Amino acid sequence: MNFREKQQYQEHYELVEKHIEKYFKEANVRVFHEIPTLDIHLDVYHIQSNNLQFDVLLTSGMSSIEMNVDEILEDSVSYKFAELMVLIPKGIDFGDIYPSKTKNDWIISMIKQSAKFPHFYDTWIGMGHTLQADEGMIPYSVDTEYCGCIVLPTVTLPEEFGTINSPNGVINIYGLFPMYKEELNYKIKNGFDSFMDLLIKNNGREVIDFNRKNFCQETPKKGFSRFFKFRK
């Protein structure tokens, strides 16, 4: 696909930056810039806020090209732009640049690969969609067993953080929740609502847990999760 033939919304890069400045005024913010490429220039912000118990990775550039939302029959204009984020534990080392060959590179790889996917395949992604690291569900790297992710709304950050208003249409900010192979298969077979029920029963949390148990390898516990209790 020739991305140069696509309409470019360069102003969205500045809107993302202003959005970060609005919500994280006191944060230490680093940017992992895209290595020069012929496709989409996709940067990743690493937001380290003293007011949060976690850090945030947020893309900038996914919304520089609109997604193909032709299959959405109603209000499709509301879904054509998006950026992605991942909540991570504090203290994660990514090195000075990406890729840095640290054991945590796979997290940035996951978010960048997911953000470029709809543009490479002329489609769209939104809440409830799942993405695989590889067609064979091979993990993102040797440093993790996660081999895919699901797109979810954030319920940890303020609801208003989840959208950016632009003259071209709303930019949605979605979260990514990494998944094991068995969880991906479960969601594909049983649907989004059933997988959300699984998260609730297991007290799933939005912040990446490197040692999280596989929710589909044993009977889910009974319980209640304030984290995923709404927006199913």
Side-chain angles (χ1 to χ4, degrees):
M1 178 177 295
N2 188 348
F3 289 95
R4 294 180 180 178
E5 295 179 356
K6 295 277 189 177
Q7 182 173 353
Q8 305 286 321
Y9 298 89
Q10 298 296 326
E11 62 270 33
H12 289 182
Y13 289 98
E14 183 177 356
L15 289 176
V16 171
E17 184 175 358
K18 288 182 177 179
H19 196 67
I20 293 172
E21 292 173 351
K22 176 181 178 181
Y23 286 93
F24 302 105
K25 294 179 181 179
E26 82 333 315
N28 176 35
V29 180
R30 300 174 59 198
V31 185
F32 294 103
H33 291 283
E34 178 79 56
I35 295 174
T37 177
L38 294 178
D39 51 65
I40 301 166
H41 183 94
L42 188 82
D43 297 328
V44 176
Y45 283 85
H46 183 192
I47 304 164
Q48 301 166 288
S49 171
N50 292 327
N51 296 330
L52 300 175
Q53 296 181 340
F54 52 85
D55 289 344
V56 181
L57 294 177
L58 176 65
T59 64
S60 177
M62 180 180 177
S63 65
S64 66
I65 299 176
E66 64 182 62
M67 296 183 287
N68 182 357
V69 293
D70 289 346
E71 66 180 72
I72 302 177
L73 299 180
E74 297 183 7
D75 197 25
S76 61
V77 67
S78 298
Y79 299 95
K80 64 181 182 177
F81 295 116
E83 298 288 351
L84 300 177
M85 72 174 184
V86 176
L87 306 188
I88 59 175
K90 284 190 172 298
I92 298 297
D93 178 27
F94 294 108
D96 295 326
I97 60 173
Y98 170 84
S100 62
K101 296 184 179 180
T102 71
K103 66 178 182 179
N104 301 310
D105 270 359
W106 71 267
I107 306 173
I108 297 180
S109 296
M110 176 182 71
I111 196 172
K112 288 174 71 74
Q113 178 181 329
S114 300
K116 291 187 177 186
F117 174 86
H119 301 304
F120 285 166
Y121 294 95
D122 195 28
T123 185
W124 71 287
I125 60 173
M127 189 177 72
H129 289 177
T130 49
L131 299 152
Q132 297 174 196
D134 172 89
E135 287 186 5
M137 294 192 183
I138 297 173
Y140 288 104
S141 85
V142 296
D143 297 303
T144 183
E145 293 183 18
Y146 290 128
C147 62
C149 55
I150 187 169
V151 181
L152 297 174
T154 178
V155 292
T156 301
L157 294 172
E159 184 175 356
E160 57 269 24
F161 179 78
T163 55
I164 301 173
N165 292 319
S166 87
N168 312 303
V170 65
I171 301 171
N172 298 292
I173 300 177
Y174 298 117
L176 294 181
F177 182 81
M179 303 169 73
Y180 297 107
K181 179 179 179 179
E182 293 80 6
E183 295 169 344
L184 277 166
N185 287 329
Y186 179 91
K187 188 271 178 182
I188 292 169
K189 179 179 179 181
N190 298 283
F192 176 58
D193 287 344
S194 291
F195 184 74
M196 291 301 293
D197 289 340
L198 199 64
L199 288 181
I200 292 171
K201 291 176 182 178
N202 285 275
N203 296 313
R205 292 294 184 270
E206 191 173 2
V207 180
I208 286 182
D209 181 351
F210 298 107
N211 299 309
R212 178 175 69 80
K213 75 169 187 176
N214 187 327
F215 296 153
C216 292
Q217 285 190 334
E218 58 182 88
T219 303
K221 298 178 184 177
K222 293 182 179 179
F224 178 79
S225 172
R226 179 179 299 175
F227 183 80
F228 281 118
K229 73 176 183 178
F230 58 90
R231 294 200 212 166
K232 289 177 57 177

